[in-house]
Amino acid sequence: TLEEAIGSDVGDRFVDPADRARFRQEIDRAGYVTDFEAKLRRYDGTVMDCLLTASTRHASDGVATGEVQGIVRDVTEQKAAEETQFQQTRELAVLGERNRMAREIHDTLAQGFTGIVLQLEAGEQALDESPGEVTGHLERAKSLARESLQEARRSVWNLLPHALEGLSLEEALQEEVNR
């Protein structure tokens, strides 16, 4: 309630003592904090995500009293909404990647396999009409099969996170930008 909040020591409500120490350190250093993120415990014991904006109180003569006054904003629902949005964005990215892979498989591998089938069918027809052409059709079918196998390996290889195996995130990003 408002009556419980006014004049209460918010410092006792920090869930993580390190957050309280960082908050106090910032107040002591700058005299104020703006939108300091911390988890605080409500009177009923539940935890809430908060943004604290506060400043050091001064007496009428301008000397700091050692007390802090400020505003605590409960942003638990906002944080939950941000997390939901993050998860949805991630799921959308995964779906987009799946669609890209499906298109790539269709555009490359399916066409390669279709070409193989056509060459083999042409070779079958040539058996009766012109047996000398069969070898050419079989060679083209083998070549298409090799190319399709190479494409399948490339597609699988590109799914693996090779960039981070031997590089830092910064180096991997720079390599990707350069590429």
Side-chain angles (χ1 to χ4, degrees):
T1 65
L2 185 60
E3 292 76 26
E4 290 172 321
I6 293 177
S8 68
D9 185 356
V10 175
D12 294 337
R13 304 231 168 261
F14 280 90
V15 172
D16 184 351
D19 285 342
R20 181 181 183 171
R22 283 188 313 110
F23 177 80
R24 190 72 228 187
Q25 191 176 39
E26 186 66 21
I27 283 282
D28 291 344
R29 184 188 66 76
Y32 67 93
V33 295
T34 303
D35 291 340
F36 183 91
E37 287 190 49
K39 291 190 180 291
L40 299 181
R41 197 167 306 282
R42 291 185 176 103
Y43 284 98
D44 67 4
T46 60
V47 174
M48 62 182 172
D49 292 301
C50 296
L51 290 178
L52 290 82
T53 299
S55 61
T56 303
R57 290 187 62 178
H58 293 86
S60 59
D61 60 4
V63 177
T65 64
E67 294 177 333
V68 174
Q69 89 178 30
I71 298 171
V72 176
R73 288 185 296 154
D74 181 355
V75 293
T76 306
E77 288 181 15
Q78 178 183 339
K79 287 278 194 181
E82 287 171 359
E83 179 61 27
T84 299
Q85 183 179 16
F86 173 77
Q87 291 300 330
Q88 289 173 343
T89 301
R90 184 175 181 279
E91 290 170 12
L92 188 59
V94 168
L95 183 60
E97 181 62 12
R98 284 182 185 155
N99 287 337
R100 185 193 67 76
M101 286 299 301
R103 281 191 309 275
E104 184 176 321
I105 288 169
H106 178 268
D107 292 348
T108 57
L109 297 177
Q111 288 179 3
F113 293 139
T114 301
I116 293 167
V117 169
L118 290 173
Q119 289 300 323
L120 292 173
E121 287 174 349
E124 240 177 8
Q125 285 180 344
L127 274 175
D128 297 332
E129 299 165 10
S130 52
E133 291 181 21
V134 173
T135 305
H137 289 295
L138 289 175
E139 286 301 318
R140 284 189 289 278
K142 286 193 305 187
S143 176
L144 285 169
R146 285 186 188 102
E147 289 172 15
S148 294
L149 179 59
Q150 193 173 21
E151 183 63 29
R153 287 181 176 148
R154 186 195 64 75
S155 294
V156 170
W157 179 258
N158 285 339
L159 290 175
L160 302 174
H162 301 286
L164 294 177
E165 286 179 356
L167 303 173
S168 69
L169 178 59
E170 182 180 344
E171 293 167 334
L173 288 172
Q174 186 60 52
E175 187 174 293
E176 186 64 24
V177 167
N178 292 342
R179 194 173 56 151

